[in-house]
Amino acid sequence: PHQHTITVRYGETDQMGFAHHANYLLYLEEARTALMAALGVPYGDLEARGIGLPVRKANLRYRAPARFEDVLVVSVWIERVGPASITFGYRIDRPADGVYIADATMELAAIDLENGALCTLPEDLCAGLERARQED
């Protein structure tokens, strides 16, 4: 899996001092866009081709809290590549003490940015993503 490091910022914490649950979706997105860039498919390039990848489904399980200044490692991988969607898997860990923070899956649908309609992923993109999935 691709690993992306994130440090919890003060503004991401709630009154209890924990990273607010909504921020985990941002952590996942940051890791996912870093993975796509590392695979040579930055989101900007997809958008230039007229393709968007909005989130269609997200499943996130919190296992332990993260706090201000915790350094987290978000591991992300491709679980499935369909003709018009990509499913990513995630795991968030805090390496300092080995705590397993959260895990998630997220499905993104391919849409035509011109009209917002579902579209198929280009063959070259599907092939590249499928190769990356098999290498994980």
Side-chain angles (χ1 to χ4, degrees), residues 12-112:
E12 296 168 346
T13 61
D14 59 20
Q15 188 174 0
M16 296 175 289
F18 300 135
H20 189 269
H21 65 275
N23 290 307
Y24 287 79
L25 293 171
L26 297 174
Y27 302 159
L28 301 178
E29 180 177 23
E30 186 176 327
R32 182 177 67 249
T33 57
L35 167 63
M36 296 290 285
L39 294 175
V41 189
Y43 270 84
D45 289 358
L46 283 175
E47 291 173 354
R49 293 172 76 172
I51 300 167
L53 290 175
V55 174
R56 176 167 41 196
K57 184 179 1 177
N59 182 9
L60 177 56
R61 178 160 184 205
Y62 304 95
R63 298 178 175 276
R67 293 183 168 82
F68 171 56
E69 292 188 331
D70 278 354
V71 175
L72 307 177
V73 172
V74 182
S75 299
V76 56
W77 58 92
I78 299 167
E79 286 196 349
R80 188 182 80 73
V81 178
S85 67
I86 308 166
T87 303
F88 294 89
Y90 305 85
R91 179 178 164 128
I92 302 174
D93 293 284
R94 186 174 49 228
D97 57 4
V99 172
Y100 179 10
I101 300 291
D103 57 68
T105 57
M106 198 169 291
E107 181 180 340
L108 283 67
I111 63 164
D112 182 322

